[in-house]
Amino acid sequence: MQHVRLLVMTDDLPQASLTLAETESFHPDHRLPEASVLAEAPGRDYRERYRQAASRLDKIAKLVPVPAAPPIRQLHVVHPDELIAVSLLLRERWEEASRFEEAFHRLDEEERFLRDQQTALENFANLKIDLGKLRTKTRFLDFYVGVVPRENVSRLQGAVQLAGHLLFKYLERADSAHVIIVGPRGEGEAQLDSVLTSAGFQALPIPRGLADTDPAQKQEELATRRAEIAGQREALQTEIAQWEQSNREMLVDARRTLLLAEPFVTLDPSIRSLGQLAVLAGWVPAAAVAGLEQRLEETLVMPFHLEAREPRPDERHLVPTVAVKNRWLAPFAMLVKQYGIPQYGEVDPTPLFAFTFLLMFGSMFGDVGQGAVIAGLAWTFRAKLGRFWLFGVMAGAASIVFGFLYGSIFGYEEILPALWKSPIHHPILMLQIALGYGVAFIVVACLLATYNRFAVRNIAGAWFGHHGLVNLAFYLALVAGGLNVAQQGSFGTSPTLVVLGSLAALAAYGWRHFDAPTSEKVLVVFIETLETVIGYVSNTLSFLRVAAFSLNHAALSLAVLTLAGMMGTTGHIITVILGNVFVLVLEGGIVAIQVMRLQYYEGFSRYFSGDGHEFAPLRLKRGAEAS
């Protein structure tokens, strides 16, 4: 990646922006230029016109369909006059279209009012009383109409009787009851209000317009009016469709114009100028610099100057990282992105992540039949899964490969001859392989961490930081000593010296770089040293889950087949099918989670900072049919 500084004439800025977007290789650098004399921000009026026109088109697009990225058959620079003309045209069209929006809004409001009226009628349909008389309290009687939880009705009825009131239940729905409470006006009103509140009573307001009206007749009137509104809405839809048909070409042309103007507007924060000279800067892949310069020479009318340099050490954190573009690695890159983006110069973990993920998933979920189901489902639903369908296919393929190695198909181990060994019959071997794999995984992670720190010029961190070279020496000596204990019964002199020496070096480094009172430094250094020992041991043992789940998968399949063997033919088939579905859904999900846990915690946390940012070049949205 190289930092590019482009000096152009201000009049050539729109064409330069369009060219940069066309090449899709320029990631804008929004920092202010070093030359403070370049203080002006050109294109302010252009930007305002663009935003005004885009806002109007977006409003119109909410009413009628306007393609977001129509094909652009010929690239051309959108001059300010053209943008102004488009903005004025869109203003006229929006004034025409806004009446449709207002008409729909009026219909929505009226229909909402009618629904409220119908709901109110349904609430009072079973109450055989003049609703107009319930709207206001009489001189001698109080009326309370509302809803109360069904379980509180009996308790509320007794309470209102103590206040001299009567409660009548006229409707029950689900867990609530509709009630009316009638009683004399007087001093008991305040007491009754507190009783109603404690019982969860909710008053039902009686809308105006329903008084002195037959509910059935009113329902019919409301239904008729709603049917009329539906007809008006349909007629309005027809009218707006005709309007859209007559203005479609103009709206699509406006969208094309705005898409062609968008690169200049997007670059605006990165551009500074003084008079007729403008400068913009950004990041360009080293391999694309020559092609970008050639394309600028072909498209710009006036002279320009382009200079490229390597990123300085102090700005490495600003350099974007180019994402993996390999189709097969794309779904794994999506999972890596969930953790973070590698800094510029760091090793992209996607290839290693893809290989180790498939290796662990396949070994933990090895079965020819179940792997084929996973791959088949991913292929079947590839349209809905998008790019992620490849992930399912490859995970299923890994399961199939290990299924052949284990000799397992839908849990049966008698149909296929095992090309290697069955986990259920060789558990100790599986545990040993899992430990060996864990050691190799951690060593590779430490090497990558060391490389990444050297790449960003963090020399001290590469040697003494977490999972650096000194940590790696300690870990390898610890592993060698463990093997000696297993084979010879003693840890060994050389591993002991390396372990003690590396721990002493880490302690000395921590002591030197930790500023605190002596007692606190002693405690912190001791805890960090102890954490190093315990951490590497526990991290290595974490990989035993790879063997544990391969054994668990075989044991669970065996349990399903044992249960199926106790049933008749039909029951046997049903049990095998349901058992395999259970294993696929439950255990397959758990295995995927465990693999992700090992990747994120045991791998990425060691060598992957995840605080970079992705290369996002200026692009021109040209549509699928663009030529």
Side-chain angles (χ1 to χ4, degrees):
M1 192 69 69
Q2 291 195 328
H3 187 270
V4 167
R5 187 168 179 263
L6 178 62
L7 292 170
V8 298
M9 305 304 292
T10 303
D11 292 340
D12 253 355
L13 273 176
Q15 178 62 65
S17 304
L18 188 62
T19 301
L20 294 176
E22 182 189 5
T23 58
E24 297 187 359
S25 60
F26 184 85
H27 180 105
D29 182 0
H30 297 308
R31 290 178 296 171
L32 292 176
E34 297 172 358
S36 59
V37 294
L38 297 171
E40 298 178 8
R44 181 176 301 171
D45 293 339
Y46 191 96
R47 179 179 70 250
E48 292 303 319
R49 289 289 184 182
Y50 169 86
R51 291 177 178 172
Q52 190 177 57
S55 175
R56 290 166 178 166
L57 184 58
D58 289 340
K59 291 178 182 177
I60 295 173
K62 293 179 180 179
L63 294 174
V64 298
V66 180
I72 300 175
R73 299 176 182 84
Q74 184 176 3
L75 299 182
H76 71 278
V77 174
V78 178
H79 293 286
D81 292 341
E82 182 181 357
L83 196 57
I84 292 173
V86 169
S87 181
L88 293 175
L89 275 175
L90 288 173
R91 185 181 67 179
E92 295 174 2
R93 297 302 181 270
W94 170 239
E95 289 174 354
E96 296 173 3
S98 61
R99 67 182 181 87
F100 296 117
E101 184 182 47
E102 294 172 0
F104 278 121
H105 180 69
R106 286 196 301 269
L107 292 178
D108 291 339
E109 288 295 322
E110 186 174 358
E111 191 169 20
R112 187 180 301 111
F113 173 76
L114 293 176
R115 285 199 303 268
D116 293 341
Q117 294 275 293
Q118 287 182 317
T119 302
L121 279 176
E122 291 173 0
N123 288 332
F124 298 108
N126 293 349
L127 187 58
K128 307 301 182 182
I129 193 172
D130 186 352
L131 300 181
K133 295 180 179 179
L134 294 180
R135 288 192 53 82
T136 57
K137 296 181 179 181
T138 68
R139 182 177 180 182
F140 302 104
L141 291 177
D142 277 340
F143 296 94
Y144 299 88
V145 183
V147 181
V148 67
R150 184 183 295 183
E151 64 270 15
N152 294 345
V153 172
S154 298
R155 180 165 57 88
L156 179 61
Q157 188 170 23
V160 299
Q161 286 177 354
L162 294 176
H165 286 61
L166 297 176
L167 182 146
F168 300 94
K169 181 173 61 177
Y170 65 90
L171 179 64
E172 286 189 352
R173 285 180 179 171
D175 295 331
S176 62
H178 292 231
V179 300
I180 181 171
I181 300 171
V182 184
R185 301 191 69 180
E187 298 179 355
E189 291 184 42
Q191 179 185 357
L192 184 62
D193 287 340
S194 63
V195 170
L196 294 177
T197 302
S198 63
F201 178 86
Q202 295 181 354
L204 288 174
I206 304 172
R208 296 185 181 277
L210 297 183
D212 303 320
T213 304
D214 178 37
Q217 180 182 352
K218 189 64 177 179
Q219 282 281 19
E220 185 177 347
E221 292 176 2
L222 295 176
T224 301
R225 181 56 189 149
R226 289 191 67 178
E228 292 174 357
I229 290 176
Q232 293 175 8
R233 191 184 299 277
E234 186 175 349
L236 194 59
Q237 291 283 11
T238 302
E239 187 178 354
I240 199 173
Q242 294 173 350
W243 181 89
E244 184 266 336
Q245 189 67 27
S246 61
N247 291 280
R248 179 176 177 79
E249 185 174 350
M250 177 267 161
L251 295 175
V252 173
D253 286 342
R255 178 72 80 187
R256 290 194 184 99
T257 300
L258 292 177
L259 289 176
L260 289 169
E262 186 178 18
F264 184 28
V265 177
T266 303
L267 273 179
D268 183 69
S270 306
I271 302 173
R272 291 295 182 273
S273 70
L274 181 65
Q276 293 300 312
L277 180 64
V279 61
L280 62 155
W283 305 99
V284 178
V289 172
L292 175 62
E293 186 172 12
Q294 180 181 355
R295 186 61 183 148
L296 287 170
E297 290 175 353
E298 295 172 354
T299 56
L300 296 187
V301 176
M302 288 176 276
F304 71 94
H305 175 69
L306 184 146
E307 59 182 35
R309 61 170 173 79
E310 294 292 329
R312 297 192 305 266
D314 63 306
E315 61 184 5
R316 293 186 70 89
H317 66 285
L318 299 174
V319 185
T321 301
V322 179
V324 173
K325 295 184 178 180
N326 185 287
R327 180 191 179 196
W328 295 97
L329 293 179
F332 297 98
M334 294 169 60
L335 293 174
V336 171
K337 193 175 179 180
Q338 299 305 309
Y339 189 90
I341 305 296
Q343 277 192 8
Y344 174 71
E346 287 187 338
V347 174
D348 189 337
T350 304
L352 177 63
F353 173 81
F355 173 75
T356 54
F357 186 98
L358 295 176
L359 181 64
M360 285 190 284
F361 183 85
S363 64
M364 296 164 74
F365 200 76
D367 188 281
V368 175
Q370 294 167 0
V373 171
I374 294 174
L377 289 174
W379 171 264
T380 302
F381 296 102
R382 61 189 181 278
K384 293 184 177 180
L385 294 174
R387 291 180 299 173
F388 211 68
W389 72 271
L390 277 171
F391 176 83
V393 170
M394 286 187 281
S399 182
I400 291 174
V401 170
F402 277 89
F404 279 114
L405 293 175
Y406 297 160
S408 175
I409 177 169
F410 290 117
Y412 291 98
E413 296 190 352
E414 303 83 16
I415 299 176
L416 292 175
L419 298 180
W420 184 50
K421 298 179 184 296
S422 169
I424 198 68
H425 298 119
H426 301 84
I428 303 301
L429 177 61
M430 294 298 167
L431 292 172
Q432 292 172 341
I433 292 175
L435 277 177
Y437 171 78
V439 170
F441 188 95
I442 292 174
V443 168
V444 171
C446 290
L447 290 174
L448 288 176
T450 302
Y451 174 84
N452 287 337
R453 287 167 185 161
F454 276 124
V456 298
R457 306 293 191 272
N458 183 7
I459 307 302
W463 281 97
F464 298 101
H466 288 296
H467 317 302
L469 288 175
V470 176
N471 277 265
L472 179 58
F474 159 77
Y475 181 61
L476 291 175
L478 189 66
V479 171
L483 290 174
N484 288 340
V485 170
Q487 296 173 357
Q488 303 171 8
S490 63
F491 197 83
T493 303
S494 297
T496 301
L497 293 175
V498 174
V499 166
L500 294 177
S502 57
L503 289 177
L506 292 173
Y509 179 79
W511 182 277
R512 181 179 177 183
H513 290 80
F514 187 69
D515 187 15
T518 303
S519 58
E520 185 178 347
K521 289 174 71 172
V522 171
L523 180 61
V524 171
V525 170
F526 174 77
I527 291 175
E528 288 184 347
T529 305
L530 182 63
E531 182 185 9
T532 300
V533 177
I534 297 175
Y536 276 104
V537 173
S538 62
N539 294 157
T540 305
L541 295 178
S542 290
F543 285 89
L544 288 176
R545 71 189 67 209
V546 176
F549 274 96
S550 66
L551 294 169
N552 179 68
H553 181 258
L556 191 57
S557 298
L558 180 62
V560 170
L561 296 179
T562 302
L563 183 61
M566 301 167 61
M567 301 182 181
T569 303
T570 303
H572 182 96
I573 295 173
I574 294 175
T575 302
V576 169
I577 293 174
L578 294 179
N580 275 274
V581 170
F582 175 79
V583 170
L584 277 166
V585 174
L586 181 64
E587 192 185 3
I590 293 175
V591 165
I593 292 172
Q594 293 299 325
V595 175
M596 291 298 296
R597 187 260 177 203
L598 289 171
Q599 292 283 2
Y600 283 165
Y601 183 71
E602 309 296 350
F604 288 176
S605 65
R606 280 184 162 80
Y607 66 86
F608 182 25
S609 65
D611 55 359
H613 57 281
E614 191 173 4
F615 179 65
L618 193 67
R619 283 189 172 91
L620 182 64
K621 301 173 185 175
R622 305 185 61 166
E625 300 175 8
S627 58

